Amino acid sequence: MDGNGRWATRRGLPRSAGHRAGARAVRRLVEAAARHPAIAALTLYAFSSDNWRRPADEVAALMRLFERHLRIESPRCAANSVRLEIVGRRDRLDPRLRAAIDAAELATRGGAHLHLRIAVDYSARDAIAARQLLPDVDLLIRTGGERRLSDFLLWESAYAELVFVEQMWPDFTAADLAAALTEFHTRARRFGALPAAALGATS
Ligand code: FPP
């Protein structure tokens, strides 16, 4: 979810306003994903383990935003059969945020419609070293014009299709998600094997 800071700066707003706009985008995109029949799981990269290196006031504002949104959104998730799971380290999070996470996971544990994972204090390298692996990723979308993975789901993305978009995260819409899915469906996924036509020719 890259680009909150630039979205705000371009509007003469503080970065925290960009994160709040990013949270509104999270709500829109989760609704869109939950409506989409092809999407069973969605993982959002909200805070990397390297993001602790940001100024303390930005980190604190982000943590407050996570806690507030978890408390607000978890009843809506439960009502819409969305299962919330927070992935990443918990031991460095504020106890109030940890309590909000526990409550949200408990309240939504029966959700079978969409499995929504939010990565907080997440490092793919640490997850690999600790064997805390998630299911394989089919499509990985990065906003904000960056073209790298930045320690996100490195193991799970071994055969992911990568889509990089220029939009800043707060501007990313349901239509942009649909466009990324259309792009995904144009890709030939071979997982190292040969295309079916070539297999037929060799047999
Ligand atoms: C990266 O953009 C974004 C983050 C580090 C924070 C992501 C947080 C949210 C979208 C807010 C709420 C999330 C939830 C799950 C409720 P950046 O700050 O690096 O922007 P920049 O690349 O323009 O500097």
Side-chain angles (χ1 to χ4, degrees), residues 1-10 15 18-27 44-48 51 54 58 62 65-70 73 86 118-120 142-144 146 148 168-170:
M1 298 192 286
D2 246 307
N4 294 348
R6 279 167 288 163
W7 182 93
T9 305
R10 286 172 190 177
R15 291 177 61 84
H19 294 314
R20 286 196 298 277
R24 292 193 290 275
V26 167
R27 178 184 248 226
L44 300 173
Y45 202 7
F47 192 86
S48 80
N51 285 149
R54 292 190 176 201
E58 180 170 348
L62 274 170
L65 198 61
F66 297 150
E67 187 189 330
R68 207 173 84 230
H69 277 267
L70 275 175
E73 301 298 337
I86 308 303
I118 299 178
V120 176
R142 181 158 190 174
T143 58
E146 314 288 358
R148 56 178 174 266
M168 301 297 119
W169 171 253

Side-chain angles (χ1 to χ4, degrees), residues 131 169 171 175:
R131 291 277 198 279
W169 171 253
D171 290 330

